[in-house]
Amino acid sequence: RERASAARMLAQALRDENRYVRVHSAQCLERMGPRARPAIPALIEALDDPISGPTAASALAALDAREAIPALKECLAPGRDADLRAAATRSLADLGVPADPAPLVK
């Protein structure tokens, strides 16, 4: 229920040294919906975090962050964490982008 100004603080928390703070920040941004749009760049950056990356991918879909589509597609690359690849696939589908599930099956 927070205003968009809270999104900026939560975006900063995505870089916290505590893994739980990072994950919960991404979850809060996801729940904020469109009010969290100021945090989209930080969420895209968080995709590289092995702990909070999958949650950041889900948050990007919840924010309808179409500008994150290229970054989400990069998350599908072989060698990326399986949880991140699965979350990115779901997020791309939520954004209306068909994703090839073949890399996930391998």
Side-chain angles (χ1 to χ4, degrees):
R1 295 186 180 147
E2 286 296 323
R3 299 174 192 236
S5 60
R8 288 185 272 287
M9 290 184 281
L10 289 166
Q12 291 175 353
L14 290 170
R15 295 182 193 97
D16 195 273
E17 64 184 40
N18 186 308
R19 63 196 287 161
Y20 298 107
V21 170
R22 295 192 310 270
V23 169
H24 292 296
S25 296
Q27 290 172 336
C28 289
L29 289 164
E30 179 178 3
R31 290 182 190 116
M32 284 180 69
R35 293 170 294 154
R37 289 196 60 81
I40 289 173
L43 285 165
I44 291 171
E45 183 180 312
L47 292 172
D48 290 330
D49 180 349
I51 303 299
S52 62
T55 310
S58 298
L60 288 164
L63 302 181
D64 195 32
R66 302 199 60 74
E67 59 267 53
I69 290 172
L72 288 167
K73 285 183 176 181
E74 288 178 19
C75 294
L76 303 178
R80 298 294 297 258
D81 179 72
D83 289 336
L84 176 61
R85 292 167 60 200
T89 300
R90 283 191 306 271
S91 295
L92 287 166
D94 289 346
L95 291 169
V97 177
D100 180 11
L104 295 176
V105 174
K106 289 181 184 181

